[in-house]
Amino acid sequence: MAKRAIQVDDFLNFEVYSDPQFSPDGSKYAYVSTTINENKDYESNLFIQNMDEADARQWTFGHNKNSSPRFSPDNKSVVFQSNRSGMPQLWLLPLDGGEAKQLTTFKNGAVDPVWSKDGKFIIFTALLEEGDDVLDQKELSKEERQKENEETNKKPLVVKKLNYKSDSLGFLDDKKSQIILYDVEKENFIQLTNGDYHYAYQDISPNGTTVLFSGNISENAEYELKSDIYALDIASREITRLTDGKGSYYSAVFSPSGNKIAYLGHKQEYLNATLTKLYIYDLETKEHTCLSTEWDFPIGDLIAGDTRLGSSENGPVWSNDENRLFFIGSIYGATNLYEVSLQGELKELYNVDSHVFGFSYNRLKDSFIIGVSTPTNPCNFYLLDANSQVKQLTDANRKFLNEVEIGTPERISFKAKDGWDVHGWILRPYDYKEGAKYPLILEIHGGPHVMYGQTFFHEMQLLAAKGYVVLYINPRGSHGYGQTYVNACRGDYGGGDYQDLMSAVDYVLETYEFIDKERLGVTGGSYGGFMTNWIVGHTNRFKAAVTQRSISNWLSFYGVSDIGYFFNKWQHGFDLLDDPKALWDISPLKYASNVDTPLLILHSEQDYRCPIEQGEQLYVTLKHLKKDVEFVRFPGANHELSRSGKPELRIERLNHICSWFEKYL
């Protein structure tokens, strides 16, 4: 029986896995499964699977968000994070049965629990105000919190800092993330950090005397877009900066002996287009060594998508013998699991042209649980043993995949007009027939410094199901193709990147006879929205366009975006105060009179990354010019609408995109 085409609301049926965690003895692993319930709310629950059993068992239940499962070193319990009481708090679950015990009742919640190596402490992070007492924390009831919010909303917001808002957090207040110890035996709390800084916990030494954290605790922190690794002596509270104060450093972990620290970062040589590198710091010699000097790919998972939910380990992770490190790297549209020796010898442990989104290491057997997504399967977990043998452990989304036709993207590579090599994919329409002609939609990713890749992408599959050829590429500025490539769009927005996209369209029109050159569409979000706006102002070859969470005016972006005050300088080389004319010259709004392509503008009202005034300016200008334009505003949504926004609004967004292209293509 033929499978049906994928539908707009099919993402409601996905089960999305994340955060695999081996138990200390390697006999089992835990993970997080996120779904959307009948109330169209996200919920996440914990599962456990014994390595000698075929199926996983569900640990937590209900319409809550449970995450971050961490086994105790003695393998007797699991600490995890849950919002079942109202705010995210820490809970302890015995492995031999019984109910979970609530450990924290912090007013603003407690998150990201980890165990000390001896199991005596649980370390976590909590938002605290100056003067808060960790021994006297009380979680507010739903009614109390509602009353507090109502009182806050009656007061004016007094702004004194440069970075006073965040797309993910909204308007910022005086609360700061502090590192807290929970003494498991004494059942009390010890606050390790304080002051007007955010502290991001990294690791605790094997002997339990030192905590690593990242952040910026200098007096000029709000003006310095840097992050360092610090060591905090638990007994004395003395803080020592370990990195050079000249870049962005994070993901620091002690070696098993505690003699070395591995960490990630870079010296911002190319600002936010700099490849992430891997470093070793020797605590005895005080020497820093970069292991990745000869690599031309970034460490970490940089694949763009709309199906991933929840965080997972990307590395670095030490081997048990302390001679190797493991991590995920992004290269040529895929993410792989790598191993590197302390001498810099690099080895691919898992490379099947897919999206490795996370892993967990079994120190006893030198094996891994790896989380993998492919263009035709949202996610699954696999066992990768010491002999490089791979065994599938889960079969997520089996029912959905058995019912729905999922297309397999075809790789393409071509030369841009100036000779640069560019890589991408096309996806043929559902029920494709030889000899028929199909309209094409060009998709453009955001960032710009991410990459499209070998992962499941609901929106791409949906457009193919609607009868379109979907074209998506990694133009210069994308990660995965080396430092020169990812840096190439800086100072050249609308230049080489625009030519790459137009060359991609030229290439597929010449190569594939089934594409109707008279029915071309284009869409993209964030940087992809900027590029969509730029395209319709510079060519009329597209018959319809949808711009999402876009940028239309770099002049106003400088003052309204949560990153505008530094992003212009970092990406263009100048800001509003340096050269307003140059910013206007690369603003799509300048070219509004050239736009003849019917344009749909989609924008979230709570978007602080690319604020809605960017969409408003573009809409009013085009409408004033009597152009064919519509504007859709999404209330209560932010920059993440397409990925983790309210499910009802995600459905509305996709419906508007499909309807616009159906109308004009």
Side-chain angles (χ1 to χ4, degrees):
M1 187 173 70
K3 294 184 177 182
R4 67 171 175 85
I6 199 169
Q7 298 172 358
V8 165
D9 60 355
D10 268 329
F11 72 88
L12 299 175
N13 303 314
F14 295 161
E15 190 173 9
V16 181
Y17 292 166
S18 63
D19 202 13
Q21 294 287 324
F22 258 123
S23 63
D25 63 2
S27 65
K28 62 182 82 66
Y29 75 102
Y31 64 89
V32 179
S33 173
T34 301
T35 56
I36 299 173
N37 60 39
E38 61 270 18
N39 299 319
K40 290 188 171 60
D41 290 328
Y42 295 98
E43 64 181 52
S44 52
N45 280 296
L46 309 183
F47 286 73
I48 184 170
Q49 183 174 11
N50 290 324
M51 300 310 296
D52 58 357
E53 295 179 355
D55 298 312
R57 289 176 285 119
Q58 188 168 344
W59 256 358
T60 62
F61 298 85
H63 296 328
N64 305 305
K65 294 180 180 178
N66 304 282
S67 61
S68 303
R70 298 297 182 266
F71 288 92
S72 62
D74 63 8
N75 208 37
K76 292 183 178 180
S77 58
V78 168
V79 66
F80 65 98
Q81 173 184 320
S82 177
N83 69 348
R84 61 184 64 185
S85 64
M87 290 291 289
Q89 303 288 357
L90 305 190
W91 297 71
L92 193 65
L93 182 67
L95 287 179
D96 58 1
E99 295 294 321
K101 172 186 176 182
Q102 186 170 354
L103 301 182
T104 63
T105 56
F106 277 55
K107 178 182 178 181
N108 301 303
V111 297
D112 300 330
V114 294
W115 292 87
S116 61
K117 307 301 189 286
D118 58 11
K120 293 181 179 180
F121 300 104
I122 295 171
I123 306 99
F124 63 95
T125 302
L127 284 173
L128 298 176
E129 295 183 47
E130 190 67 31
D132 278 354
D133 186 351
V134 296
L135 300 179
D136 188 30
Q137 286 286 307
K138 177 180 179 295
E139 184 176 2
L140 300 181
S141 66
K142 182 178 180 180
E143 292 74 21
E144 289 172 330
R145 190 166 299 281
Q146 182 177 350
K147 183 178 179 180
E148 184 181 77
N149 290 337
E150 290 173 353
E151 290 300 316
T152 299
N153 291 335
K154 293 177 183 178
K155 301 174 183 177
L157 178 68
V158 179
V159 177
K160 296 182 179 180
K161 294 196 172 183
L162 179 61
N163 53 335
Y164 70 94
K165 61 182 178 180
S166 163
D167 182 66
S168 59
L169 301 174
F171 290 114
L172 306 178
D173 50 31
D174 292 330
K175 302 181 187 73
K176 301 296 178 183
S177 54
Q178 306 292 349
I179 301 172
I180 317 293
L181 281 184
Y182 173 72
D183 189 311
V184 177
E185 183 178 343
K186 296 179 180 179
E187 299 187 346
N188 67 356
F189 300 98
I190 304 168
Q191 184 174 341
L192 296 183
T193 60
N194 54 64
D196 194 27
Y197 305 104
H198 286 289
Y199 299 85
Y201 173 82
Q202 304 289 292
D203 198 14
I204 188 168
S205 60
N207 62 10
T209 63
T210 306
V211 160
L212 299 177
F213 68 86
S214 65
N216 188 336
I217 59 174
S218 73
E219 293 182 357
N220 294 316
E222 68 174 310
Y223 298 98
E224 296 177 344
L225 299 164
K226 298 174 182 176
S227 176
D228 279 293
I229 305 296
Y230 298 86
L232 182 149
D233 183 271
I234 293 177
S236 68
R237 299 295 196 274
E238 180 181 353
I239 293 175
T240 304
R241 193 183 74 194
L242 302 182
T243 46
D244 59 16
K246 299 178 181 179
S248 299
Y249 306 104
Y250 46 91
S251 297
V253 286
F254 281 103
S255 63
S257 68
N259 294 328
K260 296 180 177 65
I261 296 170
Y263 64 96
L264 302 180
H266 54 74
K267 300 181 185 295
Q268 295 186 347
E269 298 97 325
Y270 303 92
L271 298 173
N272 61 334
T274 312
L275 299 186
T276 302
K277 301 175 180 65
L278 173 59
Y279 298 88
I280 299 294
Y281 176 64
D282 191 306
L283 288 161
E284 295 179 358
T285 66
K286 312 298 182 186
E287 291 180 346
H288 295 264
T289 304
C290 181
L291 295 182
S292 54
T293 304
E294 303 302 319
W295 312 345
D296 202 17
F297 65 89
I299 297 168
D301 173 10
L302 294 163
I303 289 185
D306 64 354
T307 309
R308 296 301 317 144
L309 294 166
S311 60
S312 299
E313 177 68 70
N314 275 203
V317 171
W318 287 92
S319 65
N320 196 46
D321 60 16
E322 204 165 312
N323 290 323
R324 297 162 292 151
L325 286 155
F326 310 111
F327 62 91
I328 290 172
S330 297
I331 186 166
Y332 209 64
T335 55
N336 305 325
L337 180 63
Y338 291 91
E339 168 191 297
V340 63
S341 70
L342 296 193
Q343 292 73 44
E345 299 168 347
L346 185 66
K347 179 182 178 182
E348 289 182 339
L349 297 181
Y350 187 83
N351 175 9
V352 293
D353 199 21
S354 61
H355 177 194
V356 180
F357 58 79
F359 72 97
S360 182
Y361 173 59
N362 179 354
R363 298 180 185 278
L364 300 181
K365 295 186 177 180
D366 223 27
S367 60
F368 303 86
I369 300 292
I370 52 175
V372 179
S373 175
T374 71
T376 58
N377 196 318
C379 59
N380 268 310
F381 289 123
Y382 298 81
L383 173 67
L384 175 66
D385 67 23
N387 298 316
S388 301
Q389 298 300 305
V390 178
K391 175 186 176 183
Q392 184 171 339
L393 299 174
T394 61
D395 193 7
N397 303 295
R398 178 195 310 166
K399 182 175 183 293
F400 167 77
L401 294 172
N402 285 339
E403 295 175 354
V404 178
E405 183 70 31
I406 304 296
T408 301
E410 303 171 33
R411 279 186 176 274
I412 61 170
S413 295
F414 58 92
K415 293 282 186 182
K417 290 184 178 179
D418 57 2
W420 283 55
D421 291 315
V422 184
H423 166 236
W425 297 263
I426 67 161
L427 194 56
R428 299 191 185 211
Y430 169 77
D431 203 20
Y432 166 82
K433 293 181 175 60
E434 291 287 347
K437 288 279 191 178
Y438 298 93
L440 175 141
I441 295 175
L442 170 65
E443 285 264 9
I444 309 170
H445 68 61
H449 307 306
V450 295
M451 68 180 186
Y452 280 139
Q454 295 290 82
T455 193
F456 188 87
F457 211 125
H458 174 243
E459 182 177 324
M460 307 291 195
Q461 295 287 342
L462 175 64
L463 291 174
K466 294 293 184 180
Y468 303 104
V469 178
V470 185
L471 168 64
Y472 54 108
I473 71 163
N474 285 323
R476 65 194 74 184
S478 304
H479 264 305
Y481 305 89
Q483 183 62 80
T484 299
Y485 196 86
V486 73
N487 189 58
C489 74
R490 290 178 61 238
D492 190 35
Y493 274 40
D497 48 2
Y498 171 69
Q499 292 301 327
D500 290 345
L501 294 162
M502 295 304 99
S503 295
V505 175
D506 293 339
Y507 171 78
V508 297
L509 289 178
E510 294 170 1
T511 307
Y512 300 98
E513 295 182 353
F514 54 80
I515 298 174
D516 185 346
K517 66 179 181 180
E518 300 300 326
R519 292 190 290 163
L520 306 179
V522 59
T523 187
S526 196
Y527 163 81
F530 157 81
M531 188 54 67
T532 300
N533 297 340
W534 185 265
I535 285 170
V536 297
H538 287 79
T539 178
N540 293 326
R541 72 189 305 185
F542 294 92
K543 302 307 178 187
V546 180
T547 185
Q548 307 170 54
R549 57 188 186 278
S550 71
I551 297 163
S552 65
N553 185 351
W554 292 110
L555 292 163
S556 61
F557 179 84
Y558 167 79
V560 296
S561 169
D562 63 345
I563 61 172
Y565 63 94
F566 70 85
F567 191 85
N568 279 348
K569 194 85 169 182
W570 280 22
Q571 287 294 294
H572 307 310
F574 47 84
D575 60 29
L576 178 67
L577 303 178
D578 297 324
D579 196 339
K581 182 182 182 303
L583 278 183
W584 181 240
D585 287 342
I586 57 172
S587 295
L589 197 63
K590 177 181 178 179
Y591 308 96
S593 61
N594 299 338
V595 177
D596 290 323
T597 305
L599 181 65
L600 176 64
I601 302 170
L602 306 181
H603 223 114
S604 298
E605 294 190 348
Q606 300 298 318
D607 190 336
Y608 293 151
R609 183 59 42 84
C610 297
I612 196 167
E613 61 88 32
Q614 294 285 309
E616 290 172 330
Q617 289 187 67
L618 185 60
Y619 172 74
V620 169
T621 302
L622 291 175
K623 196 67 176 177
H624 190 221
L625 292 170
K626 298 182 179 179
K627 303 291 185 177
D628 192 348
V629 60
E630 288 186 15
F631 187 24
V632 181
R633 304 169 65 111
F634 294 87
N638 64 13
H639 201 65
E640 295 298 306
L641 170 63
S642 67
R643 299 176 280 260
S644 59
K646 295 177 182 178
E648 298 99 324
L649 293 182
R650 290 178 65 183
I651 291 172
E652 285 291 325
R653 169 186 166 270
L654 291 170
N655 277 330
H656 278 288
I657 292 171
C658 293
S659 295
W660 191 259
F661 285 130
E662 182 179 357
K663 179 179 179 180
Y664 289 99
L665 298 186

